[in-house]
Amino acid sequence: MSDLHTAPIAVVGGTGPQGRGLAYRLARAGHPVVLGSRDADRAAGAAAALRALPGVTAPVDGAANRDAVLRAAVVLLAVPYQGHAELVGSLADVLAGRLIVSCVNPLGFDKGGPYGLPVVAGSAAEEAAHLVPTATVVGAFHHLAAPLLLDPEADLSHEDVLVCGDDAQAKARVLALAAQVTEGRAVDAGRLRLAAQLEPLTAVLISVNKRYRTRSGVALTGLAPAVKEEVA
Amino acid sequence: MSDLHTAPIAVVGGTGPQGRGLAYRLARAGHPVVLGSRDADRAAGAAAALRALPGVTAPVDGAANRDAVLRAAVVLLAVPYQGHAELVGSLADVLAGRLIVSCVNPLGFDKGGPYGLPVVAGSAAEEAAHLVPTATVVGAFHHLAAPLLLDPEADLSHEDVLVCGDDAQAKARVLALAAQVTEGRAVDAGRLRLAAQLEPLTAVLISVNKRYRTRSGVALTGLAPAVKEEVA
């Protein structure tokens, strides 16, 4: 992964709100980004729209998912859980050996509102790890509201990004990226398996959003105000 | 439940750290409390210790679990998940018709640290609801660190208590209690089934505590500073 700092970060699902929002914040922090989509033209259109947003200094391109992954060392998965296994499986050969950042929230919705979907692997992050055993998987960015990510004026520095993973070096790298995305605090939440707790917590946030008409996020108490992480 | 304001609040598992801590804060807020334990003498001893803590103005008694429940309209379950079903089942006849506040965290621990245990019912709160169908079950108080609850000097007003339940009136009552426990914010997290997300989130907090040598808790972003709830 010697090209980690020059290669773009790929965002699979880069035309969805979460993917575009994370891509915007990463590009604003100076990281080249390539949006991936099933449809290369849609990805190119979304990339053009991001380039027009304030503060974007790094290149933002669009490509078909497979081509986006091939250009990157770090790949964000920002896709709906529905179809997740099929999509990751179809990209397994190009995801091999890469650092996967899973931002996937396995949620269901019915008349009672949002709820966490059962996942056989425990979590979407662990599912990706099973499907691409040579990749390193880290879970992060589950709780940042997409409309806030995409709002150039929104201050995210009070939001915690909880990061989980079993590879310390990869986790440190994602912690550093997360602190750049929010210009705030990134928290080492522990093992990858705790993605089973982080992912469906988003159901609670959506429920709170509806009740309080807000865009809620997570902050932990009991931590120092700024646990800044630097890229190793 | 006409005696809700004069009857004591029972804390089943009242001799454990979480139970004692919640009982202390409730008693400090002026609520009579009866600690329940399998062993009435242990409960009496724990009650005497709580009465000696600063700020306790309300009566604090100890009793066998069954007797504690019989004296109360509101019953906090603050017991380990191990043995939860058996305990709740054994008290089902006296819990019938009461307001149960489930504070139970189904957690496992192994060499990888804490993790959320699978619960067939979805959550401990829903398990209690199935075992005592005539009770009203609300989930709350999962994330407050017991040592902080028990520390007379600890300020909990920056901690959010996330409360879930399907009965609006019962939930409002628990939201009001929660705001008194922390002298802070209580948040309506939504349906009871979201206890499946709230309960095991404690595994993340314990993991963070170990990594950062702290007592972490949860606060949500995007909400007004004080969503104070009054007893209806």
Side-chain angles (χ1 to χ4, degrees):
Chain A
M1 296 200 291
S2 60
D3 57 343
L4 197 61
H5 296 289
T6 51
I9 296 171
V11 181
V12 171
T15 58
Q18 184 191 32
R20 282 186 292 126
L22 290 169
Y24 172 49
R25 296 284 173 163
L26 287 166
R28 220 168 70 161
H31 293 281
V33 174
V34 54
L35 303 182
S37 171
R38 292 176 198 269
D39 177 340
D41 288 340
R42 276 196 70 203
L50 284 194
R51 283 195 298 269
L53 289 180
V56 174
T57 55
V60 179
D61 296 325
N65 280 326
R66 170 170 293 270
D67 296 325
V69 170
L70 280 168
R71 289 175 55 190
V74 177
V75 179
L76 268 63
L77 293 180
V79 296
Y81 183 65
Q82 287 71 15
H84 174 262
E86 294 78 356
L87 179 66
V88 174
S90 75
L91 296 171
D93 59 323
V94 288
L95 287 168
R98 287 181 160 77
L99 170 50
I100 296 175
V101 184
S102 173
C103 319
V104 179
N105 293 318
L107 301 182
F109 296 85
D110 63 17
K111 63 182 167 51
Y115 60 97
L117 288 177
V119 177
V120 172
S123 61
E126 291 163 285
E127 187 172 280
H130 290 151
L131 290 165
V132 196
T134 62
T136 304
V137 179
V138 172
F141 300 120
H142 305 95
H143 308 135
L144 299 173
L148 297 182
L149 286 166
L150 279 166
D151 177 354
E153 302 299 320
D155 176 10
L156 300 175
S157 64
H158 57 299
E159 312 262 350
D160 279 342
V161 179
L162 305 181
V163 180
C164 64
D166 295 334
D167 181 297
Q169 195 178 350
K171 188 158 57 174
R173 203 171 286 285
V174 177
L175 285 162
L177 283 176
Q180 293 179 323
V181 162
T182 59
E183 300 184 61
R185 196 165 63 178
V187 178
D188 181 353
R191 296 290 192 120
L192 188 67
R193 66 183 179 185
L194 293 177
Q197 274 67 64
L198 298 181
E199 294 171 0
L201 182 61
T202 307
V204 173
L205 300 179
I206 294 170
S207 171
V208 166
N209 290 349
K210 186 176 172 193
R211 279 173 174 70
Y212 293 91
R213 299 175 186 275
T214 186
R215 300 286 182 187
S216 63
V218 174
L220 297 187
T221 62
L223 293 174
V227 185
K228 290 281 184 184
E229 304 278 344
E230 298 299 324
V231 177
Chain B
M1 297 198 290
S2 58
D3 57 344
L4 196 60
H5 298 289
T6 52
I9 296 171
V11 182
V12 172
T15 58
Q18 185 192 29
R20 282 186 293 127
L22 290 169
Y24 171 49
R25 297 282 173 164
L26 287 166
R28 218 167 73 161
H31 293 281
V33 174
V34 54
L35 302 182
S37 171
R38 291 175 198 269
D39 177 341
D41 288 341
R42 277 196 69 203
L50 283 194
R51 283 196 298 271
L53 289 180
V56 174
T57 54
V60 179
D61 296 325
N65 280 325
R66 171 170 292 270
D67 296 325
V69 171
L70 280 169
R71 289 175 54 189
V74 176
V75 180
L76 267 63
L77 293 181
V79 296
Y81 183 65
Q82 287 72 15
H84 173 261
E86 293 80 354
L87 178 66
V88 173
S90 74
L91 296 171
D93 60 322
V94 289
L95 287 168
R98 287 180 160 78
L99 170 51
I100 296 176
V101 184
S102 173
C103 319
V104 179
N105 293 318
L107 301 182
F109 296 86
D110 63 17
K111 64 181 165 54
Y115 60 98
L117 287 177
V119 177
V120 172
S123 61
E126 290 162 286
E127 188 172 279
H130 290 152
L131 290 165
V132 195
T134 62
T136 304
V137 179
V138 172
F141 300 120
H142 306 96
H143 308 135
L144 299 173
L148 297 182
L149 287 166
L150 281 166
D151 177 355
E153 302 299 321
D155 175 11
L156 300 176
S157 64
H158 58 298
E159 312 262 350
D160 278 342
V161 178
L162 304 181
V163 180
C164 64
D166 294 334
D167 182 297
Q169 195 178 350
K171 188 158 58 174
R173 204 172 286 286
V174 177
L175 284 162
L177 283 176
Q180 292 179 323
V181 162
T182 60
E183 299 183 64
R185 196 166 62 178
V187 178
D188 180 353
R191 295 288 191 120
L192 188 67
R193 66 182 178 185
L194 293 177
Q197 274 68 64
L198 298 181
E199 294 172 0
L201 181 61
T202 307
V204 173
L205 299 179
I206 295 171
S207 170
V208 166
N209 290 350
K210 186 174 172 194
R211 280 175 173 71
Y212 293 91
R213 299 174 185 278
T214 187
R215 300 285 182 189
S216 63
V218 174
L220 297 187
T221 62
L223 293 174
V227 186
K228 291 280 186 186
E229 304 279 343
E230 300 298 326
V231 176

